[in-house]
Amino acid sequence: MRVGVIRLTVGWDESRGLLDAYERFLAGERVEDVGDAVRTPILASWQRCRSLGLVPDRLFLSRRQDMDPDGRLLSAAAPVLDRLAVALDGPPVSVILTDAQAHVLSRRAGDAELNRYLDAAHIFQGIGFPESIAGTNAVGTALAERRPVYVLGREHFADCMRLLACAGAPIRDPLSGRVEGVLDLTCFRKHSDPVLLPLVKQAAGEIEQRLLEQASQRERELLAEFLRTRRVARAPAGPLGEPPEGPAAAGLIDPIDQAVLREKAQELIASPYKTATEVNLSGGRTAVLLCREVCAPSGEAGIAVEVAVLSGPQCRIPMPAGPEGSGAGSLVAEAPTPSAAVAASLHPTGARAAAGAAPTVPATPTAPAAPSEPVPHTHAGLLLLGEPGVGRLALLARKRLELLYDASVSIGRTLDVTRTAEELVETVVPRFADFVAVDLPESVLRGEEHTDLGEGLRRVALGAVREGSHLYAVGEKVSWLPASPQARCLETGHPVLEPDLSRAVDWMDNDPGRSRKVLASGVHSLITVPMRDRGVTLGVVSFYRAENFAAFEDDDLWLAGELVSRAAVCIDNARRFTREHTMALAVQRSLLPRGLPVQNAVEVAYRYLPAQAAVGGDWFDIIPLSGSRVALVVGDVVGHGVHAATTMGRLRTAVHNFSALDLPPEELLTHLDDLVGRLDADSGGNDGIIGATCLYAVYDPVSRRCTFACAGHPPPALVLPDGTVDFVDVPTGPPLGLGGLPFEPYEIEVPEDSRIVLYTDGLIEQRGQDLDTGLSRLRRTLAAPRPFTDSPEETCRAVLDALLPAHPCDDIALLVARTRALDAGRTAHWDVSADPAEVPRVRAAVTGQLEKWDLIEQAPTTELIVSELVTNAIRYGGSPIRLRLIRDHTLICEVTDGSSTSPRLRRARTTDEGGRGLFLVAQLAERWGTRYTPDGKVIWTEQPLPPDGSDGSGGPDGPDGSD
């Protein structure tokens, strides 16, 4: 920015006359009575505010949530804003940039006091300050006046801004002339200085130059050539009848070239973004066309296409007759009924100025050429399309195209039915209507295939420029009488227009009390459009207009129908996604554990939270094992949807089956890895199975040791009884499905009352946050001193409160297990020599132990089981041989020997002398099995205990030793 350090000085203060004039104006006095004390632009703005019914101390500002931080205007203005913030010195000044709808894009600079005041006045990013909502202010009034303004103190209409001084300047696109936003400098009134106005105009000009630099090279060349040609066209003529000196010589345009120019001009007006083009004319000449918005002093808007004809041979054409400048005035003049006839003609550049063109490219009036009179070879003029009113309709058509384009990119950005309806109302209000309501049946919200309109509708979205419309609120049940516009459009499938609601008896009869309140709030016109897609009626959308618009016309029906049609496609897609998501979630929940199994090794609490966007493949499990041990499992299948959920169910079933074989954790993961690889191969790559992660842990409450094995999963956390937290250093193997690499076990001793915390990556991984940050947050949460340190349920709650994202993008599974230990009095051990004579001694010892445990009723069965297992170990196994009894929720008998040969259950024939012992054991025991150890194997059995409280689940002999 070409300015040095600007030092602001305390400027003028508002006079007492301004304050009196403001109070008198609000009291309803005539404009002529207060006009002497108020500047004309400010007074005109006050009049507009009063006509809209604005109240200074009750203004309802709107906020946009979808501000684009990388938008075209903001990216162009960022360097200018940075330099401007640095250049300002002295009293604090805030630099504010808004878009063309007066929503704040950026706010910079200013000291702490000023920023606190601006925050309290809701002047921050996303808040909108159009004059029609926020009253007189530098941003909204600059947009309304389309020129720089300075608003000081009480000149602001709103009470919350009366202590401020603001200078705002509109920022135009140099190519199209369209206002893209406003640059505003704001400070406290006591620091005001008139230098703010030229400073903000200079900065706005620099932003406009940077916007021009964003245009393509060809567009900049066309604009430069157009401006150069206009300057040549205005060069003073030589002697009478002679063209100017140099190559600039031109003639009039023949009818064929006129038709070509007219066609190209029509294309420019129809295009919502194209602003310049080049046309080849006869005789080797070239014309440059530039399209701009123009505004007459009366406020009437239109679109003008200027043309500059470069040097070439002369030609002649009869020019239209009529009063001077009449053609230009017709561009923006209002007409009751526009003619369908379209005419294109060249008029001098003076008409451009008469049409109220933007001051970006000034024009110098010249007299129109006489018919058939030769003019210089280089000519610049205003190419007009149509008769009175056509320019206004063309501008309206462009705005409609822009609205449809914005709707196509703004609606349907999520697969949520309610959010899609909200995006529709946010796009339409206030550009097309003051209030928009979307009513859908419950079946659409549930994602059901066939919608039932008979069950009634529910309001899911309501867009409003202000409060107090008295329309049904979001969430209310909406019912319409058969004769109402909404019911009629649902029945016929066509939009219904009610240009004057005060005369719509059928609409009034639906809810007379509410209808009268709606009319009293200023609502006067209605369009209702059925929301239909793929032959299914999904709901109804109602567009209401109030004080900011004229009544709806027939042409508005097409635009409303197009907007709703595009939203209907997105809502139907969201409905179908909701159905699929609900199905996938139901499948997933049916495959997850529905309760906790009976075991006394750990006290368990768990949480499972599905992702908001799509169902994932996270799972957890608690699996009781032999010898009172328990397996703790968490896993995560790559991908989302029904496929991930069903794959998770298959893997969970496989883990249960492998666990039943009492495989060590590392071997279980190896088998699971092979299974995932086979699933991937069987799918042929169509299902996209890439792999999964899994953490498998086995805890033994007798030895208090826990063995872990990991396949690409986040490490488990261990919280000791004293509150110390550490992540277990488990060797991390490759994810399941890659194959080729072994998994390594890791065994540690876990003190009683410790907590083992297993989780999936959705808990610690968030977008924009690395893994170490998530692990650190988890560690701090688990280590925080709390009175419920030993409760797994409270641990789950504390972890989710601290780490759960607002919008989880991945599933979260959390498993917290507090370890228990079986005391020595609940186990009994015997070493057995390899001598058959030991069997009677062992049976007697077992009977004695059962008497101590008050389980004498179990003695006969247990003696037989022990006798058979010990005899088989002596006969077929190897030393050392050990016998162990465990009294848990079942009576467990384990016989260990040094042989890895596994016994096989078979049915003996009548002629066989042996082979019936293991069959008898299987009949007497509730469960039995074999597990292998590094030194041999263990044959184990489980017998149910009598239901008298002596099963180890509680009471004086419970696992926690408490009464």
Side-chain angles (χ1 to χ4, degrees):
M1 180 175 296
R2 303 191 227 16
V3 297
V5 175
I6 304 299
R7 297 190 177 275
L8 302 179
T9 60
V10 177
W12 69 82
D13 195 2
E14 59 190 8
S15 64
R16 186 63 200 173
L18 175 63
L19 297 176
D20 293 340
Y22 179 80
E23 297 297 335
R24 288 157 47 204
F25 179 84
L26 291 181
E29 291 193 21
R30 295 183 306 170
V31 174
E32 306 86 62
D33 298 334
V34 300
D36 295 339
V38 186
R39 291 185 291 145
T40 301
I42 300 299
L43 186 58
S45 176
W46 286 3
Q47 287 182 274
R48 293 192 294 267
C49 296
R50 185 164 66 179
S51 65
L52 293 174
L54 299 183
V55 180
D57 60 347
R58 291 195 300 273
L59 298 179
F60 303 99
L61 304 180
S62 62
R63 183 173 187 179
R64 288 186 58 182
Q65 302 292 340
D66 56 345
M67 307 302 294
D68 185 4
D70 301 319
R72 175 171 175 259
L73 175 61
L74 193 56
S75 60
V80 179
L81 300 182
D82 292 339
R83 293 196 298 270
L84 185 60
V86 173
L88 293 170
D89 190 19
V93 177
S94 182
V95 182
I96 300 173
L97 179 71
T98 75
D99 60 14
Q101 287 74 45
H103 289 94
V104 177
L105 297 175
S106 175
R107 196 189 83 192
R108 308 189 183 192
D111 64 355
E113 181 185 6
L114 178 61
N115 287 329
R116 282 195 301 270
Y117 186 86
L118 296 180
D119 289 340
H122 299 92
I123 305 177
F124 47 77
Q125 189 179 43
I127 297 295
F129 290 89
E131 188 184 69
S132 59
I133 295 177
T136 306
N137 66 91
V139 172
T141 305
L143 286 173
E145 296 281 342
R146 302 176 69 85
R147 61 180 177 177
V149 297
Y150 191 88
V151 183
L152 176 67
R154 189 65 273 181
E155 290 180 339
H156 289 94
F157 192 80
D159 289 342
C160 62
M161 301 182 189
R162 67 183 184 276
L163 298 183
L164 300 176
C166 308
I171 302 171
R172 299 178 183 271
D173 185 333
L175 278 175
S176 66
R178 184 171 53 245
V179 175
E180 298 289 340
V182 175
L183 180 63
D184 173 85
L185 298 180
T186 296
C187 64
F188 281 120
R189 183 183 60 193
K190 60 185 179 181
H191 297 150
S192 62
D193 196 308
V195 75
L196 291 177
L197 190 59
L199 181 61
V200 76
K201 289 194 291 185
Q202 178 185 348
E206 295 194 19
I207 297 176
E208 292 176 351
Q209 182 60 37
R210 290 185 57 83
L211 286 174
L212 180 61
E213 294 172 0
Q214 292 182 353
S216 66
Q217 180 66 27
R218 184 58 182 159
E219 288 178 323
R220 293 198 297 270
E221 291 175 354
L222 288 175
L223 180 62
E225 187 63 32
F226 179 88
L227 297 176
R228 186 193 65 79
T229 304
R230 290 216 326 180
R231 287 194 297 270
V232 174
R234 293 181 186 140
L240 184 63
E242 297 182 8
E245 297 181 359
L252 297 175
I253 306 301
D254 60 31
I256 296 178
D257 287 342
Q258 281 193 64
V260 173
L261 290 174
R262 180 171 60 249
E263 180 181 0
K264 292 298 181 181
Q266 291 172 344
E267 292 178 3
L268 276 181
I269 287 184
S271 172
Y273 295 105
K274 192 175 182 182
T275 56
T277 188
E278 191 175 47
V279 182
N280 293 324
L281 303 178
S282 60
R285 294 178 299 169
T286 301
V288 178
L289 276 68
L290 192 68
C291 183
R292 294 178 177 275
E293 291 184 8
V294 295
C295 186
S298 62
E300 188 69 31
I303 292 181
V305 179
E306 293 182 281
V307 61
V309 183
L310 279 63
S311 301
Q314 295 188 15
C315 65
R316 307 179 69 84
I317 179 175
M319 300 296 289
E324 180 178 349
S326 61
S330 68
L331 172 71
V332 294
E334 179 66 21
T337 305
S339 172
V342 177
S345 59
L346 279 175
H347 278 258
T349 57
R352 175 77 169 96
T360 309
V361 183
T364 303
T366 58
S372 302
E373 180 182 346
V375 296
H377 275 64
T378 300
H379 190 88
L382 181 63
L383 181 61
L384 296 184
L385 287 177
E387 295 180 356
V390 175
R392 180 186 68 85
L393 297 178
L395 180 61
L396 185 59
R398 171 178 287 189
K399 292 185 180 299
R400 288 173 174 171
L401 289 175
E402 291 178 349
L403 179 57
L404 285 177
Y405 172 79
D406 292 343
S408 65
V409 299
S410 300
I411 301 175
R413 290 177 292 181
T414 66
L415 288 172
D416 181 81
V417 174
T418 301
R419 181 57 194 150
T420 303
E422 292 172 349
E423 290 170 346
L424 169 62
V425 301
E426 290 171 358
T427 302
V428 174
V429 177
R431 300 169 64 180
F432 179 68
D434 294 284
F435 306 95
V436 177
V438 181
D439 304 324
L440 303 177
E442 295 285 355
S443 54
V444 172
L445 300 177
R446 294 192 298 264
E448 296 178 1
E449 181 66 26
H450 299 289
T451 60
D452 183 10
L453 299 179
E455 67 180 0
L457 305 178
R458 186 172 298 278
R459 181 140 299 174
V460 297
L462 176 64
V465 295
R466 56 173 171 78
E467 296 181 358
S469 64
H470 299 287
L471 298 171
Y472 289 106
V474 173
E476 286 192 66
K477 198 79 171 181
V478 180
S479 59
W480 305 105
L481 294 178
S484 65
Q486 287 82 358
R488 281 187 282 136
C489 80
L490 288 174
E491 181 180 0
T492 63
H494 299 290
V496 173
L497 169 64
E498 291 289 353
D500 188 354
L501 283 178
S502 63
R503 299 183 179 182
V505 179
D506 47 6
W507 175 78
M508 293 282 294
D509 292 342
N510 191 78
D511 190 341
R514 183 184 295 270
S515 300
R516 285 191 292 269
K517 293 179 180 179
V518 171
L519 291 176
S521 68
V523 176
H524 56 74
S525 185
L526 166 68
I527 287 180
T528 62
V529 183
M531 183 174 288
R532 294 177 55 85
D533 186 61
R534 300 180 179 96
V536 178
T537 301
L538 304 174
V540 62
V541 182
S542 303
F543 300 87
Y544 298 89
R545 280 187 174 177
E547 61 272 4
N548 292 336
F549 290 96
F552 282 116
E553 302 174 355
D554 290 337
D555 290 343
D556 295 317
L557 283 173
W558 172 85
L559 179 57
E562 284 294 316
L563 292 169
V564 174
S565 176
R566 300 187 183 204
V569 174
C570 299
I571 283 185
D572 192 51
N573 290 338
R575 176 183 65 86
R576 292 169 179 265
F577 171 80
T578 300
R579 183 188 62 188
E580 298 295 331
H581 180 77
T582 303
M583 292 174 56
L585 188 59
V587 170
Q588 184 186 46
R589 291 194 179 278
S590 68
L591 297 174
L592 287 170
R594 297 191 177 184
L596 295 175
V598 178
Q599 51 81 34
N600 289 327
V602 291
E603 178 189 352
V604 178
Y606 61 87
R607 294 289 189 277
Y608 174 77
L609 300 174
Q612 290 187 349
V615 173
D618 293 17
W619 90 92
F620 65 94
D621 231 325
I622 305 100
I623 306 173
L625 302 177
S626 62
S628 293
R629 300 171 304 141
V630 66
L632 306 174
V633 191
V634 290
D636 185 2
V637 176
V638 175
H640 293 85
V642 175
H643 170 65
T646 54
T647 302
M648 174 271 292
R650 300 169 76 176
L651 295 184
R652 179 170 176 257
T653 301
V655 170
H656 271 266
N657 293 335
F658 294 145
S659 298
L661 300 176
D662 270 325
L663 296 177
E666 68 276 12
E667 293 186 21
L668 184 143
L669 289 185
T670 300
H671 287 289
L672 204 60
D673 180 55
D674 294 339
L675 173 63
V676 174
R678 289 196 302 271
L679 292 177
D680 199 1
D682 293 343
S683 69
N686 297 328
D687 293 332
I689 297 179
I690 300 175
T693 65
C694 184
L695 179 64
Y696 188 86
V698 176
Y699 173 71
D700 186 347
V702 178
S703 64
R704 300 193 307 276
R705 300 194 68 83
C706 189
T707 305
F708 298 89
C710 179
H713 204 80
L718 179 61
V719 186
L720 299 179
D722 62 359
T724 303
V725 180
D726 201 1
F727 291 101
V728 183
D729 191 17
V730 183
T732 304
L736 301 175
L738 298 182
L741 294 177
F743 300 98
E744 299 181 29
Y746 185 82
E747 185 176 8
I748 60 172
E749 182 174 346
V750 180
E752 186 178 5
D753 288 334
S754 299
R755 283 169 295 157
I756 301 173
V757 182
L758 309 182
Y759 51 90
T760 55
D761 57 1
L763 182 68
I764 58 174
E765 290 184 357
Q766 298 181 25
R767 187 173 300 172
Q769 172 184 290
D770 57 22
L771 182 62
D772 291 339
T773 301
L775 291 174
S776 298
R777 293 178 61 197
L778 177 59
R779 182 196 297 271
R780 290 194 302 269
T781 303
L782 294 174
R786 291 182 298 273
F788 43 78
T789 301
D790 294 333
S791 170
E793 192 68 33
E794 294 293 346
T795 300
C796 284
R797 185 178 303 127
V799 169
L800 292 183
D801 288 345
L803 278 76
L804 181 64
H807 302 284
C809 58
D810 196 6
D811 289 17
I812 296 175
L814 175 64
L815 183 64
V816 179
R818 188 185 70 166
T819 61
R820 294 168 174 167
L822 290 179
D823 57 80
R826 301 177 64 81
T827 61
H829 307 261
W830 295 274
D831 291 330
V832 182
S833 61
D835 184 357
E838 286 285 290
V839 176
R841 183 184 68 83
V842 172
R843 285 202 304 265
V846 168
T847 301
Q849 184 63 47
L850 293 178
E851 289 179 354
K852 293 180 181 179
W853 287 344
D854 196 18
L855 296 175
I856 194 61
E857 294 180 1
Q858 307 294 112
T861 301
T862 307
E863 285 183 6
L864 182 56
I865 291 174
V866 169
S867 178
E868 291 295 335
L869 294 183
V870 171
T871 300
N872 284 342
I874 293 173
R875 181 177 299 177
Y876 304 109
S879 298
I881 300 173
R882 299 184 180 90
L883 171 63
R884 182 170 73 166
L885 289 182
I886 302 175
R887 178 174 173 266
D888 196 9
H889 64 283
T890 60
L891 180 61
I892 302 170
C893 176
E894 297 180 342
V895 176
T896 305
D897 65 71
S899 172
S900 59
T901 303
S902 175
R904 181 170 58 90
L905 179 66
R906 66 184 181 88
R907 185 179 296 275
R909 292 172 295 185
T910 56
T911 58
D912 291 342
E913 295 182 359
R916 297 176 177 83
L918 196 57
F919 178 79
L920 292 175
V921 170
Q923 297 301 310
L924 296 173
E926 186 178 56
R927 296 174 60 225
W928 76 280
T930 304
R931 71 172 181 268
Y932 294 93
T933 66
D935 302 325
K937 66 177 181 298
V938 177
I939 309 297
W940 57 268
T941 65
E942 289 185 3
Q943 303 171 68
L945 294 176
D948 57 359
S950 59
D951 59 353
S953 60
D957 295 326
D960 56 359
S962 60
D963 293 336

